[in-house]
Amino acid sequence: MKKYMLVLIAALLFITGCESSMYRFLYNSMDTFLYRAITWYVEPSQEQDRFLREKLGTHLQWHRRTELLRYVATFQGLRERMARGLKKDDVSWTLSRVRVHEGDLFNAVSDDIASFLVTLDDTQIERLDGRIGERIAVVEKKMSADREDRFLEAEKSTRRIMSFVYGDLTAKQEAEIARGVRTMENIDPLVMRLYRERRAEFISLLRNKPGRDAVKAYLRRLALEPEKTYPEYYRASAERRDRAVADALLRFDRELVTPAQRAHAVGKIDTLIQVLRELSAG
């Protein structure tokens, strides 16, 4: 089923060429995507399954009715900033808006997430632990690839993102992307160490059969205040990496983007704003 879903998405993207159709399809299918993602990690009982389906429906209705127009306001602000060219304070503004939306979402769904997690029995917790381990192993395999292969893959993914936003890239822009990727600090080993520690911490919490409030407090720390929970071995490197990525984006936008590419980026935002408005009304 997953294979056919990917084919359908590819058809929407590359055969029809209609981004707005892709956005609508993905959002309108979110309940299915989320349900399958959750049940891949945890095989629910009948009672848990009813709870999941009911709460997914309720929260997605809330999200459509309440949150999408708030996203529109954020993207309108981003559109103005993109149209005049990005500056350093625009990065801070964008991050602050993301935190607001994250907070709204967490406050809406965290009670039900915690309520679901505290119902997991020992067998379900073991399955969850194993599934998280599988995901970590996949990421570790990618990160352990040959150094040159990792550079090439990072270049490819970065070019894909930048061309989606700005349109066709120039040779100079592609060269800058390659240079930036190769000079970026590699913190992958630290990331994987943090992933493994978080996995052990989370599974240990569930095995101790905590109450809902304890689970919710734990999720709040990770979701809304991750920087405060970073271990010392990770904190400084992560902060340097974040600054380097932001500086590279600003330099690219300020020094290399053409007027036509900026118009392309603004058009992308306009399309998304239109779709969000339509979805909020539907």
Side-chain angles (χ1 to χ4, degrees):
M1 181 63 71
K2 184 182 295 184
K3 176 178 69 176
Y4 297 116
M5 188 67 69
L6 292 174
V7 170
L8 179 56
I9 293 172
L12 287 168
L13 274 170
F14 301 114
I15 296 176
T16 68
C18 185
E19 274 179 40
S20 59
S21 293
M22 179 194 68
Y23 294 148
R24 292 187 189 91
F25 169 76
L26 291 176
Y27 190 80
N28 289 329
S29 303
M30 193 61 65
D31 55 346
T32 300
F33 295 149
L34 289 173
Y35 177 80
R36 288 178 178 171
I38 294 168
T39 55
W40 187 84
Y41 283 97
V42 177
E43 186 173 354
S45 66
Q46 288 186 347
E47 184 176 350
Q48 289 169 331
D49 190 77
R50 285 194 296 270
F51 179 87
L52 278 177
R53 293 180 184 276
E54 175 189 344
K55 295 303 181 180
L56 282 173
T58 298
H59 290 306
L60 286 171
Q61 288 176 9
W62 162 81
H63 192 266
R64 183 187 295 268
R65 183 177 63 252
T66 303
E67 290 301 285
L68 291 186
L69 289 180
R70 294 177 180 174
Y71 295 170
V72 166
T74 293
F75 279 110
Q76 286 173 328
L78 181 61
R79 184 193 189 283
E80 296 174 3
R81 288 162 170 78
M82 178 62 75
R84 61 166 167 73
L86 298 178
K87 300 177 181 179
K88 187 173 183 179
D89 61 352
D90 295 328
V91 175
S92 300
W93 177 87
T94 302
L95 292 175
S96 70
R97 294 304 303 161
V98 169
R99 292 190 185 98
V100 168
H101 296 312
E102 288 176 340
D104 290 343
L105 184 59
F106 182 88
N107 290 333
V109 305
S110 56
D111 278 341
D112 288 329
I113 293 175
S115 295
F116 177 77
L117 288 172
V118 298
T119 68
L120 299 183
D121 61 28
D122 292 341
T123 300
Q124 290 173 318
I125 293 172
E126 291 307 310
R127 174 188 171 96
L128 175 61
D129 186 29
R131 291 297 201 184
I132 295 174
E134 290 177 32
R135 292 299 193 197
I136 290 177
V138 170
V139 176
E140 284 181 323
K141 183 177 180 180
K142 291 181 179 179
M143 289 183 173
S144 64
D146 176 79
R147 185 168 180 265
E148 183 62 21
D149 288 342
R150 286 191 290 107
F151 282 146
L152 293 175
E153 182 58 32
E155 287 178 32
K156 181 180 178 181
S157 60
T158 305
R159 285 199 306 270
R160 187 183 300 119
I161 293 169
M162 300 304 278
S163 62
F164 176 81
V165 174
Y166 292 108
D168 293 338
L169 301 176
T170 66
K172 185 176 181 180
Q173 289 168 338
E174 291 189 349
E176 174 61 19
I177 289 172
R179 186 201 66 79
V181 164
R182 291 169 184 273
T183 57
M184 195 71 64
E185 179 181 0
N186 179 21
I187 66 170
D188 289 351
L190 301 181
V191 171
M192 295 316 306
R193 179 180 172 184
L194 181 63
Y195 281 179
R196 289 190 293 270
E197 290 176 357
R198 289 287 189 253
R199 170 196 177 188
E201 183 180 78
F202 179 55
I203 296 300
S204 176
L205 174 72
L206 296 182
R207 284 174 176 156
N208 288 329
K209 306 300 181 183
R212 189 187 69 174
D213 289 345
V215 173
K216 183 177 176 180
Y218 175 81
L219 296 176
R220 175 176 290 278
R221 289 196 301 273
L222 292 189
L224 301 186
E225 302 174 330
E227 298 86 356
K228 294 182 179 180
T229 67
Y230 287 160
E232 288 304 316
Y233 72 78
Y234 182 79
R235 185 187 308 278
S237 297
E239 290 174 351
R240 285 196 304 271
R241 181 66 178 262
D242 290 346
R243 287 195 298 270
V245 170
D247 290 345
L249 172 61
L250 290 172
R251 184 169 58 252
F252 186 96
D253 185 88
R254 182 175 59 249
E255 299 178 4
L256 299 178
V257 170
T258 68
Q261 289 173 327
R262 191 167 303 285
H264 183 278
V266 170
K268 290 284 187 181
I269 298 173
D270 286 338
T271 297
L272 186 53
I273 288 173
Q274 178 184 349
V275 172
L276 289 173
R277 283 175 171 157
E278 292 172 357
L279 286 169
S280 69

